Amino acid sequence: GKIVPSKDSVRLTGWSINSDRAVILAFCWFYIRKYQSRQESEAVSTITAICALAIALITTALLPVDIFLVSFMKNPNGTYKVWAESNETRGQIEDTVLYGYYTLYSIILFCVFLWIPFVYFYYEEKDDQTKCSQVGNALKYTVGFVIVCVVLLLIGAFVPLDPPPSTNSTQWEKVQYLFEELGSSHGLPALSFSISSLTLIGMLAVITYTAYGMSVLPLNLIKGTRSVAYELLENTDEIEDVEQQIEKLKAKCKDGRPLSSRDRRSLQTLEGKLQVLQRRGRHLEIAERNCCTKVGSALRPFKIMLGVFFIIVALVFIVSLFISNLDKALHSAGISSGFIIFGTNLTNPLNELLLVLQPVFPLDYILITVITVYFVLTSMAGIRNMGIWFFWIRLYKIRPKKTRPQALLFLCMILLLIVLHTSYVIYSLAPQYVMYGSQKYLAEVRPPLEPSIPSLPAVCFLPLCVPDQCVVTRSYLFLHKFWFFSTIYYFGNWVFIGVFLVGLVVSCCRGKKSVIEGEVEADDSDMSDDEYVH
């Protein structure tokens, strides 16, 4: 039978949750401080970025908890545990989880539509302005975001999913019906519509950054970085070559003749290139003496194994997503239903693996948590490697100790949107498991004339299970409140698979990264070297 947690482990739950939050906050502080520019850092933007990143990571833990709670209500034989036999008790637990979604999703709405835009515009308006005018201008620009949020909430609240019961009802009765629907659903459609609208943007971020990050992160670990000694030698040769070209150009004006405009442009270009190479040389010398570089070389075998593990996870991820989408294409009711299927009709490796791990607590929950964390880490890797883009325009770069505050705010907002889409992607990977967890119900397989034969436990599967025998996760209710969003997500999954394959080919064709990747750029100032040298 399935091993359940002991009373001691239940007593430690509160302590473990608090410790997890402390770990998340410590990670967020370290991550933001690692990439934050020391010259342009500001307390308000730093605190905002750390808090927003922490909210994104904490929200990722909600889905595994949701799945665990609905699974923990039942015994392996399909019966409810003693404490969960009452509908009222189960309802209280479901409401608690639902309020958890309300709270975190409401905080995400607050961050995306008010907090982060205000801090962003506040920082943009800081030059040559008083604090009052700075706050006023930031609020003026933020009002647009707030209006969009209010419109989304109103659309979700007052657009009914079902028609009024009577077609002959008056206008006032129809308005009453809308408010009754809003009250009876506790505002779920309003919040669900707003979150689903943001999730569409999150889907674009997942397609752009996560798909690429899933290919670039493991391959970078496997390939490693270039040799510091070889890079130093190569850099020295380039410096000598550029200095010779500069000397040749300067030799043309030794007799007093001025340089042509073309030669002057060439000289400026070469002098700028020489400055970059000299800064690069200083950074390489520091990297050669740095103990972290030596430790990284010693950990090379571990990095290769971790990269191989990540690429295996990515391939299982993509294969499971492909089979799930194919299953929807073959067995769902089509676009009008949002390509929703109940359970799995084709063998999905990840869904099957989760079901196999169910008998041993808590392996299945560990796996679903690892998948969620892996999804977030690859998203962060994709943003870090690509930078922040608006269509074909590159807005910001993400570089260690040189990332502008606006870029960090954008990064955190993108991660918040990606986290919203994470639940649907994981549902696509393992639909049956995300819907019911490890629940079983008592299937009526005995003949009518032989009531002595006991009912056998079967895995919860929506078309087959009896009402009240299986509890659906609250996440599923948020995901499938509006069918047209599910349809868009379905096609987004196909694009995600295609982008991953293209990113995998590009990552394989690229050579090894420099050991000082992202530290030296042509548009850096000489003062920025102080962040590394001193």
Side-chain angles (χ1 to χ4, degrees):
K2 187 164 185 170
I3 303 170
V4 298
S6 64
K7 292 182 179 179
D8 292 336
S9 64
V10 174
R11 293 190 190 102
L12 291 172
T13 300
W15 177 85
S16 62
I17 291 174
N18 291 331
S19 63
D20 289 344
R21 289 174 181 171
V23 170
I24 288 173
L25 286 173
F27 171 79
C28 294
W29 180 86
F30 173 80
Y31 187 85
I32 295 298
R33 295 295 291 173
K34 177 183 177 182
Y35 288 95
Q36 183 182 51
S37 171
R38 300 296 183 264
Q39 294 178 336
E40 299 184 72
S41 64
E42 195 173 86
V44 175
S45 61
T46 302
I47 294 171
T48 300
I50 291 173
C51 292
L53 183 57
I55 290 165
L57 296 179
I58 291 171
T59 305
T60 60
L62 203 55
L63 179 62
V65 170
D66 190 6
I67 295 171
F68 168 75
L69 287 175
V70 297
S71 303
F72 193 61
M73 294 181 187
K74 306 204 78 174
N75 294 309
N77 61 5
T79 61
Y80 282 107
K81 294 179 179 178
V82 177
W83 59 268
E85 289 178 350
S86 168
N87 288 333
E88 183 180 351
T89 303
R90 295 199 300 271
Q92 289 175 351
I93 295 174
E94 292 169 20
D95 287 343
T96 301
V97 176
L98 190 61
Y99 295 147
Y101 278 105
Y102 278 151
T103 303
L104 285 173
Y105 283 172
S106 298
I107 292 173
I108 289 176
L109 286 179
F110 173 75
C111 289
V112 171
F113 286 110
L114 183 61
W115 189 10
I116 294 177
F118 173 77
V119 175
Y120 178 87
F121 291 120
Y122 177 83
Y123 191 84
E124 283 286 299
E125 297 291 322
K126 68 175 288 188
D127 296 334
D128 302 325
Q129 290 195 22
T130 63
K131 289 292 181 183
C132 290
S133 61
Q134 199 175 337
V135 171
N137 288 332
L139 285 173
K140 180 176 64 177
Y141 295 127
T142 307
V143 166
F145 287 84
V146 176
I147 291 173
V148 172
C149 181
V150 171
V151 169
L152 292 176
L153 288 171
L154 290 175
I155 292 174
F158 295 110
V159 174
L161 298 178
D162 300 313
S166 174
T167 55
N168 298 324
S169 56
T170 64
Q171 291 297 323
W172 173 246
E173 288 173 340
K174 290 180 180 179
V175 172
Q176 278 186 313
Y177 171 76
L178 291 177
F179 279 97
E180 288 172 2
E181 282 289 298
L182 177 62
S184 62
S185 61
H186 306 290
L188 177 61
L191 185 59
S192 178
F193 187 87
S194 303
I195 292 298
S196 297
S197 301
L198 286 181
T199 304
L200 290 182
I201 307 174
M203 181 190 73
L204 298 177
V206 166
I207 291 170
T208 305
Y209 297 111
T210 311
Y212 179 66
M214 285 176 61
S215 61
V216 73
L217 177 62
L219 289 177
N220 280 347
L221 288 170
I222 293 171
K223 289 188 291 188
T225 57
R226 300 174 66 191
S227 167
V228 183
Y230 179 78
E231 283 197 77
L232 264 172
L233 182 62
E234 189 180 61
N235 192 75
T236 303
D237 290 340
E238 284 190 58
I239 288 175
E240 291 176 356
D241 182 55
V242 171
E243 286 177 341
Q244 288 177 4
Q245 293 180 52
I246 291 174
E247 288 298 323
K248 287 180 181 178
L249 286 174
K250 288 182 176 181
K252 292 182 179 181
C253 60
K254 281 185 177 180
D255 55 359
R257 289 181 302 171
L259 289 174
S260 64
S261 58
R262 180 180 177 183
D263 286 340
R264 284 199 301 271
R265 287 195 300 270
S266 299
L267 182 60
Q268 284 182 333
T269 302
L270 288 171
E271 287 176 341
K273 185 178 180 180
L274 180 61
Q275 289 180 354
V276 172
L277 289 172
Q278 288 171 343
R279 290 204 304 270
R280 182 178 173 80
R282 292 197 295 269
H283 283 248
L284 286 170
E285 289 171 359
I286 295 169
E288 189 177 34
R289 299 192 301 267
N290 197 336
C291 60
C292 292
T293 306
K294 298 174 182 177
V295 172
S297 301
L299 294 176
R300 185 83 186 94
F302 174 75
K303 288 183 178 179
I304 293 174
M305 289 189 292
L306 190 61
V308 171
F309 171 74
F310 279 168
I311 199 68
I312 291 172
V313 172
L315 292 175
V316 172
F317 196 104
I318 292 299
V319 170
S320 298
L321 193 60
F322 174 80
I323 292 175
S324 177
N325 257 29
L326 185 62
D327 196 0
K328 291 177 182 179
L330 297 175
H331 300 105
S332 70
I335 292 179
S336 59
S337 68
F339 291 96
I340 296 173
I341 56 173
F342 305 110
T344 55
N345 301 286
L346 301 177
T347 303
N348 185 320
L350 191 56
N351 198 77
E352 294 299 318
L353 180 60
L354 286 165
L355 294 175
V356 168
L357 294 177
Q358 283 178 12
V360 184
F361 179 89
L363 290 184
D364 49 342
Y365 307 113
I366 290 175
L367 179 58
I368 202 74
T369 303
V370 167
I371 293 170
T372 306
V373 173
Y374 171 78
F375 198 78
V376 174
L377 290 178
T378 52
S379 302
M380 296 169 80
I383 298 171
R384 187 174 65 248
N385 280 273
M386 291 181 64
I388 296 171
W389 293 73
F390 182 75
F391 292 103
W392 58 88
I393 302 171
R394 189 174 194 171
L395 299 179
Y396 299 106
K397 300 173 184 177
I398 308 296
R399 297 188 293 155
K401 299 184 181 179
K402 292 190 177 183
T403 306
R404 299 182 65 188
Q406 298 97 317
L408 289 175
L409 292 172
F410 258 107
L411 181 147
C412 294
M413 183 182 284
I414 291 171
L415 282 176
L416 285 171
L417 298 173
I418 286 174
V419 163
L420 292 178
H421 192 62
T422 300
S423 295
Y424 183 81
V425 173
I426 295 177
Y427 167 77
S428 300
L429 293 170
Q432 184 177 342
Y433 185 81
V434 170
M435 198 170 178
Y436 290 114
S438 60
Q439 292 179 82
K440 293 182 180 180
Y441 73 103
L442 295 177
E444 299 289 341
V445 296
R446 61 192 177 198
L449 299 178
E450 299 184 32
S452 60
I453 299 178
S455 299
L456 296 177
V459 175
C460 283
F461 187 76
L462 188 59
L464 302 178
C465 62
V466 182
D468 294 331
Q469 284 278 359
C470 296
V471 181
V472 179
T473 58
R474 301 299 92 182
S475 174
Y476 179 81
L477 298 180
F478 270 99
L479 290 173
H480 296 99
K481 202 70 181 174
F482 300 91
W483 65 267
F484 43 87
F485 285 119
S486 299
T487 301
I488 299 172
Y489 300 154
Y490 165 79
F491 288 109
N493 283 345
W494 286 117
V495 179
F496 178 88
I497 294 170
V499 172
F500 168 79
L501 295 176
V502 172
L504 189 64
V505 173
V506 171
S507 300
C508 288
C509 294
R510 285 184 173 177
K512 293 182 178 181
K513 289 173 58 178
S514 170
V515 73
I516 56 167
E517 184 76 20
E519 292 184 13
V520 179
E521 297 284 348
D523 55 358
D524 292 338
S525 64
D526 288 328
M527 290 177 63
S528 64
D529 272 358
D530 295 341
E531 298 180 4
Y532 291 94
V533 176
H534 299 295

